[in-house]
């Protein structure tokens, strides 16, 4: 696990090596100052998704604001506090733009989630007509 503040040189090396190896999207989780996503974005033109983590008494609001408030020219897509699942899905959607097989898997996942909601709704309606 790397830190933008405690291991800056290793973070830079990791990002550059990962991009050179073909990483298409970076997902960065961080709490408190939540500088990791910005530090990664500064080292690559690949998309970066920030996941604020509720690791302080502010329950992730500090991390959310630190992640979302990037300077012009240094975009970081930001999901909800603790939104790692959505970060993964967003990364898959980004990659699926140029990967038809992945696009089909993303669509199937979306449909499965839709069906789950419909089934839960049907159960509730059956219990409370």
């Amino acid at each position: 696990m790397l830190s933008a503040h405690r291991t800056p040189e290793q973070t830079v090396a990791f990002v550059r090596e990962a991009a050179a190896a073909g990483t298409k999207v970076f997902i960065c989780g961080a709490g408190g100052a939540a500088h990791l996503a910005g530090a990664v974005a500064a080292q690559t033109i690949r998309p970066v998704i920030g996941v604020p983590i509720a690791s302080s008494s502010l329950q992730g609001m500090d991390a959310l604001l630190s992640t979302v408030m990037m300077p012009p020219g240094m975009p970081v897509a930001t999901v909800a506090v603790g939104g790692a699942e959505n970060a993964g899905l967003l990364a898959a959607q980004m990659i699926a733009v140029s990967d038809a097989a992945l696009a089909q898997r993303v669509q199937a996942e979306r449909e499965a989630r839709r069906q789950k909601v419909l089934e839960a709704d049907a159960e509730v309606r059956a219990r409370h007509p």
Side-chain angles (χ1 to χ4, degrees):
M1 215 174 343
L2 296 173
S3 165
H5 297 105
R6 293 180 294 271
T7 59
E9 295 88 4
Q10 291 85 353
T11 300
V12 169
F14 173 81
V15 172
R16 290 182 179 167
E17 290 167 12
T23 296
K24 292 180 176 33
V25 180
F26 289 90
I27 299 174
C28 303
H35 183 61
L36 185 60
V40 169
Q43 300 302 320
T44 183
I45 61 168
R46 306 289 167 95
V48 176
I49 303 170
V51 181
I53 306 296
S55 64
S56 73
S57 61
L58 297 176
Q59 299 174 327
M61 288 306 296
D62 51 343
L64 175 63
L65 293 174
S66 295
T67 304
V68 77
M69 296 299 295
M70 297 306 302
M74 201 58 52
V76 170
T78 306
V79 296
V81 174
E85 184 175 357
N86 273 350
L89 291 169
L90 179 58
Q93 288 177 261
M94 289 174 173
I95 297 167
V97 168
S98 61
D99 183 331
L102 181 58
Q104 288 178 340
R105 290 174 50 202
V106 169
Q107 186 61 46
E109 171 66 20
R110 173 103 24 123
E111 180 58 26
R113 288 174 186 262
R114 187 178 87 78
Q115 288 300 321
K116 189 174 180 179
V117 169
L118 292 173
E119 289 167 11
D121 181 63
E123 286 179 26
V124 169
R125 289 176 188 267
R127 279 186 257 136
H128 305 285

